[in-house]
Each structure stands twice: as C-alpha cells, then as structure tokens.
Amino acid sequence: MDAGPRGLTPEPGDTGRRSGAAGWRRGPARLGWRLLGRRGLKVATPALTAAGILAISLALAALVWLADRDERLERQQALIKDSLWVEQTLRFELGADLGFIDRLALDIGRGSADASQVAVRARHLVSNSPEIVRLQWLDADDRPALAVPPQTERTAPPPPLTVALELARAGGRAVPSSDFVLANGQAGFALVTPIHRGEAYAGALVATVSLSALLSEHIPWWIVERYRVTVVDVSGRELAARSRVAVPDGSISHTIALDPPARDLFISISTVAAKTNLVRNSLVATIAALALVVAASFLALHRHIQRRIAAESEVRAQHAFRKAMEDSLTVGMRAKDIAGRIIYVNPAFCRMVGFAADELIGQPPPMPYWVPELLDETLAVYRAVLDGRAPPDGFEITFQRRNGEWFDALIYEAPLIDADGRHAGWMASVVDITDRKRAEELSRQQSEQLARTARLVSMGEMASSIAHELNQPLSAVASYATGSLNMIRSGCSGEDIAPAIEKIAEQAQRAGQIVHSIYNVVRRSEPQIAPLDIVALIEEAAAFIAPEARKYGVEVVIRNNSDVNAVPGDRVLLEQVLLNLARNACEAMARTAAEDRRLVIKVERVAAELVFSLADRGPGIAADVLESLFSPFVSTKPEGMGMGLCICRTIIERHHGRLWFEPAEPRGTVFRFVLPLGGMQ
C-alpha cells in the first residue's frame, strides 16, 4: 500500500501519537522531515533575502548611474543650445550694426550723404545700438572728419586699429580689429569699413564696440540666471563678462568662436548652478517608500478591498442622488460631443422641447427643435459654439416645441471635460425665458407710458413759465406790427418798414419753435436714437430751463468742455432728463441766499463717454433718502410724486448710460450721467 518511505506519506487517521512499534518507526521519520523542512526554510530565507537585496541594489546603482549620465547629457545639450542662441544673437546684432555702417559708407562714397546727414545717422546708430560707443569718419589720410559722440582730445589710434585700417585699405572691405582697451578701461574692438569714391580709397568708418555693453544689452536675464557668459581671446584671457557669479566646481563650459564679425574673440558660457543630487535623493526616497509599501502590501490589499466595496456602494448612492437631482431640475441640460451630436439631455430639456431623450441622443444637426424659418441663423450660432466662440454670459435663441410653438431660450455653453482632462464636447444649460421676455416687454411699455405721463405732468407744471416765454415773442410781434402799421400810414417807404417786418418774422419763428418743442415732448413715446448736436441739445435744454431759473432767481452757467460734436440719443428724452434735474436743482436752492443761487451745467468727455453734470448750491440730499432716492414714489418735496429721478435713471439706462449723484463742495449736490459715444468720438 505504501508508495515510498512510511514516514513521508502519513496514513489516514495518523495524528503523530500512535502506539506500537509501527507508530514509533514512522514517528521519528516524520519528525525528521519536519525538522529538516523548517531548518531548510530558515537557512534559505536569509539567502534569498540577501540575493534579492543585492539584485535590487545593483539595479538601483545602474539606475542612478544612468540617471546621472542622462542628467549630464541633458545639461550639456542645453548648454550647447543656449550657447548657439547667444552666439547667433550677438552675430545678428553685430551684423545689423555692420550693415548699417556699410550702407552709410556707400552713401558717403556716392556723395548722397553730406556731413550733417552722416552725423544724424551716426547719432541714430549710437543711440539705438548701446554696444557702439563711438562712430568715427576718417578721411583718406586717417584723420578724423567726424566723431559721434565727439572726441574731446585726440589720441593716437591703438595698434590693433591701425592694423585694421591698413587691412581695410588694402582689401577694400570691412575688417574687424583685434581687441584693445577703450577709454573707459573696458575691452572692445573696432569695425572698420572702407569708403571708396569710384575705385579710390576715400577714408573709413570706424565703429568702436564695447564688449561689456554688447553682453549686457543683448544677453537676456534668463541666460544670466543659468550661465556665466564671457568673451575671451585666443589665449583664454577674459575680456568681458555678463555675470559676476563665480563658476562652481564641476560646472560645464562651452566655447564658440565669434570670428567673424569679431576677430580672434570667443564666447565662453559656463553653468553657474551647483550640481544637484535631486535624482539620487529621489531614488533613495523611492527605495524606502517601496520597502514600506512591500511590507504593508498584504494589509493594504485587504483594506483596499474593503474600501473599494464601500466606495462602490457610495458611488452607487451618489449616482442615484445625482440622477434624482438631474431629474428634478427645472433648467434644461444638454450635452454635445466634439462633433456636435447630442449625447445627453435631462428630463427638463425633454419637457421643454417636447421630444423624448431617445429621439434626441445621437441626433446631428439640424435638431428637431430648431425653427425651420430660422435655420440659417441657428446653424451659425451652432457652429460658433463648436468653434469655441460661445459668449461667456450666454446667448438668446428661439426654439420650437414638438407642437410647433416657438419659445425663447437663454443658453449658457461651457466646455465638457472628461476624466482625462480632454475637451470632449459642450455642456449647455437651457432656460425658457419666454415668460420673462413678455414681462420685460410689458415693463418696457409701462415705463414708456410712465415717462410720457411724467412729461405731461412736467409740461403742466411748466405751463405758466412757458406762457410767459410765449408772451414775450407775441408781445414783440404785436409791437412791431403796430409800428409797421403806423409807418405805412405815415407814408414811409418799404425799405424803412422791412426791418420791422423781419423782426416780426423772427419773433413769430421763435414762438413757433417753442410750441413745436412742447408738441414733441407731449406726443413722443418711442425713443428715436440719432446723432445729436451737443451744442444744440444744451441750448434747447437751456431754453426750457430759463423760465424755472428766473422763477427761483438762479444763475445758470453752461460749460461745454467736450471735444466732440455729437452723441447718439433721443433728443426729447435727454432734454426731459436735463429739465427734471435742472428743475430739482432750482427748487433745492429756493432757501439759499440769492447771491449763491447758481446752477452749473458742465459737459466733458472721459475716454469713450460723454459726462453731463449739474451742480447746485442747495442743502444737499437728506441722509434718510440717500439709498432710495432713485426708487419710485420717493421724493424730498412735499408735493412731489417721487417719479422724476426714477424716470431719469430709466431713460439714461435705456441709452446704455449711468446716472448717479455726489455731494458738492462746499455744499450742494452734483447729479451726473454718462452717455456712450459709440463711434462718434
């Protein structure tokens, strides 16, 4: 029955505590195998652990070495790239300077530039190229003909410049000199460009270049933060530097020749940032973190499973909550993919348009709720949304329900971002504003009717003053008519009577203008926006204000400080605003001393707006009505209706302007309103 040694395979029912010889024979064998297995496991475990640690250590060492090598290669490549950028930048600037000098030398040689023109162009070069510290014009004998800036005292040219002049004379082309010390003690070199008249040498233009200025003006800050940029000669001697920071040990350097346009000069760029061990430290921290993760992985796995079960339950609950919340919304929600197809609609949107969700999802344009008569306009808006040009404050559009009824909708479009942060489409919230627009239209009509009523009330209050205003031209007409009749009876000629007849015509025309203005104020209801002459608007308003001002003994001062001639608006409505504000100001100064009763009406432009201000010297606005002064039925006068300022603000806001008030100095109140100039500034 046994397949091998008796101690290896326990028999059924064997508990290790059997009696008899057979049991004792099998017991030691089984015990030995158990001891051997445990001892072998104890011996093998440290060996396997050590082997694993050694393998991990070798792998990490290789990773650290590779990371360090890659880091050095990246720094070297970045240094070379930035060095090439610096070298190209300096070559470009010096090339541009040399091109300017070549053109100037060519114009001098042709005779198309005299000394004054050369001086102007030289000053332009020196002022726009800080690296050029001086530009000299030398004649054929190398004597200075012109220097910018002027040279206070003449000194012998340095030997490198003399050599460059000889090379330019012999070669007939621009030659850079070797480096030499400038007057300010800094290193520099010269660009020598010969001047020829025909085939003869006629002199040279010598541009002195400061190496320090060249580096400081054309090396940007982001290069200086990372590198130390220097100019060195063939021997490695530093001539100029952009950064004073010392180069640390282990930094990387790169040198590029700057010849041409400079001669025997090199650009040397060295890194100034200290060598970092961030990669190594990160790897060490990663190793420690991985060790902790491995040690706690089994416990974390169990906890993760428990948390996942709880999270899935919570997600299901949140999904059910969001679904219930979306179903209870009264605002329509509609989502489209990046191609414009509908991918989601909520019940509110379905109720709004009268279509079921399965009839809309996946539907490409034209949508079934679009108005056929407005298809082109709706399609243009649809394409603008897909192009990302949807207005951030929403837009209005007209849709059609399933039963054919039109309704107005206000739509806010926002990008739809998926879980990976990618733009996956557009989410729109749709609000049915049909009832609101009807209410706004009714409110607008009521406001217009109220404004018309207020104008009628204002005209009733002005009846006595206007009657006095009409009495003056009519009295003048009667007087001139009587005089003319007397002159006719006395046998005067027509030439003598003509001036009186002209006066009668002028006074009759004035009376007609007053009557016509009153008629316009009474009959107008719809605003008529048109360009208004500012001077005419003020003068006509002043004619209305004059009777009230005389009634209260108020001096009216008009100051037109505007530099524009016209403003878009409705003449009658704006005159009503000016009249109401002026009448309030006159009534406010009823108890002011007679010599202080002054109303200043000022017009001025501020940016793209025209500002009207009316300043009185009354007692000011009471503190208890400051916040509600523009509210309906709020008045500071016992007999007032409390509608004047409310109507004024409505009129100004319909002109897309603002109306407010401020305390005046030393006393009184200033009412201001602004009107946008549109395209008339």
Side-chain angles (χ1 to χ4, degrees):
M1 296 294 295
D2 290 359
R6 297 297 300 268
L8 287 175
T9 305
E11 294 181 356
D14 188 3
T15 61
R17 301 182 64 181
R18 303 179 64 180
S19 59
W24 280 104
R25 285 196 301 269
R26 289 191 295 269
R30 183 164 55 250
L31 180 61
W33 279 104
R34 289 177 180 176
L35 293 176
L36 180 61
R38 293 175 181 175
R39 187 178 298 111
L41 183 61
K42 291 180 180 180
V43 172
T45 298
L48 292 175
T49 302
I53 293 175
L54 179 61
I56 293 174
S57 301
L58 292 175
L60 290 177
L63 288 175
V64 170
W65 180 80
L66 290 174
D68 183 72
R69 187 192 65 174
D70 291 343
E71 184 178 0
R72 292 186 63 85
L73 289 176
E74 289 176 0
R75 293 174 63 190
Q76 183 71 28
Q77 291 174 357
L79 174 63
I80 294 174
K81 184 188 298 183
D82 292 337
S83 300
L84 291 174
W85 187 91
V86 170
E87 181 255 346
Q88 291 173 2
T89 300
L90 297 182
R91 283 184 185 275
F92 174 81
E93 296 298 335
L94 291 175
D97 296 339
L98 188 57
F100 184 94
I101 297 171
D102 287 342
R103 291 190 296 272
L104 182 58
L106 185 61
D107 291 342
I108 294 173
R110 291 174 177 174
S112 59
D114 56 15
S116 61
Q117 293 175 343
V118 172
V120 171
R121 293 170 66 176
R123 283 192 293 270
H124 174 77
L125 175 64
V126 173
S127 62
N128 288 278
S129 301
E131 66 272 13
I132 304 295
V133 297
R134 176 172 284 108
L135 180 64
Q136 288 181 299
W137 177 12
L138 304 181
D139 59 13
D141 297 327
D142 295 338
R143 291 175 300 187
L146 177 69
V148 175
Q151 194 168 3
T152 56
E153 56 184 33
R154 184 173 180 182
T155 58
L161 178 56
T162 303
V163 173
L165 287 170
E166 294 296 328
L167 292 175
R169 183 194 300 267
R173 59 183 178 85
V175 176
S177 72
S178 302
D179 62 277
F180 57 88
V181 179
L182 305 181
N184 56 7
Q186 298 178 349
F189 68 98
L191 296 173
V192 181
T193 303
I195 301 173
H196 293 88
R197 288 191 176 93
E199 299 295 328
Y201 176 81
L205 290 178
V206 179
T208 304
V209 180
S210 171
L211 293 175
S212 297
L214 179 66
L215 296 183
S216 62
E217 290 296 329
H218 301 297
I219 303 299
W221 61 268
W222 56 270
I223 289 289
V224 178
E225 286 184 349
R226 300 171 57 187
Y227 307 103
R228 188 173 191 270
V229 183
T230 59
V231 178
V232 298
D233 57 11
V234 291
S235 64
R237 180 170 57 94
E238 182 177 300
L239 303 177
R242 179 65 173 90
S243 175
R244 297 182 179 179
V245 179
V247 177
D249 295 334
S251 65
I252 306 174
S253 300
H254 188 71
T255 302
I256 302 178
L258 198 59
D259 184 6
R263 182 180 181 183
D264 298 332
L265 296 180
F266 300 84
I267 299 295
S268 178
I269 302 181
S270 304
T271 57
V272 297
K275 200 172 183 180
T276 177
N277 291 323
L278 178 61
V279 175
R280 299 181 183 179
N281 296 336
S282 300
L283 289 174
V284 172
T286 303
I287 295 170
L290 288 175
L292 293 176
V293 170
V294 171
S297 60
F298 292 103
L299 179 61
L301 179 61
H302 175 72
R303 292 180 178 178
H304 172 71
I305 293 174
Q306 297 298 323
R307 286 194 297 268
R308 179 163 184 162
I309 294 173
E312 290 177 353
S313 177
E314 183 179 357
V315 167
R316 285 192 295 270
Q318 290 180 355
H319 177 73
F321 172 74
R322 290 196 181 97
K323 185 68 170 59
M325 183 175 62
E326 291 174 2
D327 293 344
S328 64
L329 284 175
T330 59
V331 176
M333 305 296 294
R334 179 201 63 197
K336 296 181 295 187
D337 62 13
I338 203 68
R341 294 184 296 269
I342 296 178
I343 58 177
Y344 167 79
V345 288
N346 71 337
F349 185 81
C350 294
R351 291 192 298 269
M352 192 179 299
V353 298
F355 293 92
D358 55 358
E359 296 179 284
L360 298 175
I361 293 179
Q363 180 72 32
M367 306 302 175
Y369 50 83
W370 286 6
V371 179
E373 292 81 357
L374 305 177
L375 184 61
D376 294 338
E377 177 183 348
T378 307
L379 187 60
V381 174
Y382 168 84
R383 290 172 177 169
V385 171
L386 292 184
D387 293 340
R389 294 182 284 110
D393 52 351
F395 59 91
E396 296 182 7
I397 196 170
T398 302
F399 286 154
Q400 179 176 276
R401 307 188 202 276
R402 192 185 191 109
N403 58 7
E405 178 188 357
W406 290 16
F407 69 96
D408 295 315
L410 177 60
I411 299 181
Y412 296 92
E413 293 278 1
L416 186 63
I417 307 301
D418 62 10
D420 297 328
R422 294 174 299 185
H423 183 202
W426 299 91
M427 173 61 75
S429 59
V430 184
V431 183
D432 188 347
I433 60 171
T434 305
D435 294 337
R436 191 183 78 184
K437 293 195 71 174
R438 290 173 182 167
E440 289 176 353
E441 177 63 20
L442 180 60
S443 175
R444 185 188 65 82
Q445 294 175 0
Q446 291 175 348
S447 297
E448 292 177 355
Q449 184 64 28
L450 184 60
R452 184 172 181 272
T453 303
R455 288 199 298 272
L456 294 175
V457 172
S458 298
M459 293 308 301
E461 295 176 356
M462 293 171 55
S464 61
S465 299
I466 293 174
H468 175 73
E469 192 71 16
L470 286 174
N471 186 51
Q472 291 181 357
L474 293 178
S475 298
V477 168
S479 177
Y480 285 123
T482 302
S484 300
L485 184 58
N486 293 333
M487 294 175 70
I488 292 173
R489 289 174 180 172
S490 62
C492 293
S493 63
E495 295 181 357
D496 296 332
I497 303 174
I501 300 299
E502 292 175 355
K503 293 292 184 180
I504 292 174
E506 291 177 2
Q507 295 300 323
Q509 185 179 6
R510 179 184 174 193
Q513 289 176 350
I514 295 174
V515 173
H516 182 69
S517 298
I518 297 170
Y519 175 71
N520 286 338
V521 171
V522 173
R523 73 177 181 90
R524 294 280 293 279
S525 59
E526 288 293 332
Q528 301 294 328
I529 304 299
L532 301 180
D533 185 89
I534 297 174
V535 176
L537 176 65
I538 297 174
E539 290 179 351
E540 191 167 345
F544 279 108
I545 296 169
E548 290 289 328
R550 286 195 294 270
K551 176 181 176 181
Y552 290 96
V554 175
E555 178 189 0
V556 180
V557 179
I558 298 177
R559 298 174 182 170
N560 184 8
N561 299 332
S562 172
D563 56 353
V564 295
N565 298 325
V567 63
D570 186 291
R571 177 182 299 276
V572 174
L573 294 180
L574 294 181
E575 286 178 355
Q576 180 183 351
V577 172
L578 290 171
L579 177 60
N580 286 343
L581 296 178
R583 186 172 63 246
N584 290 344
C586 292
E587 292 175 355
M589 291 186 286
R591 298 184 179 180
T592 303
E595 62 273 11
D596 290 338
R597 297 178 186 175
R598 174 180 293 181
L599 172 61
V600 179
I601 302 176
K602 185 168 65 174
V603 183
E604 58 185 346
R605 186 180 77 160
V606 178
E609 295 178 329
L610 197 65
V611 182
F612 292 77
S613 61
L614 291 86
D616 62 57
R617 295 186 177 181
I621 307 299
D624 55 344
V625 295
L626 284 174
E627 299 296 330
S628 59
L629 188 62
F630 290 101
S631 301
F633 308 110
V634 174
S635 177
T636 59
K637 297 178 288 187
E639 70 282 359
M641 293 176 57
M643 297 300 298
L645 290 178
C646 177
I647 293 172
C648 289
R649 170 171 279 188
T650 301
I651 292 173
I652 296 303
E653 289 178 351
R654 290 187 62 186
H655 284 76
H656 306 288
R658 305 185 307 278
L659 170 63
W660 72 97
F661 66 92
E662 300 171 353
E665 294 295 338
R667 64 180 181 275
T669 307
V670 180
F671 279 84
R672 289 190 173 91
F673 65 89
V674 297
L675 298 175
L677 291 172
M680 298 186 179
Q681 64 269 31

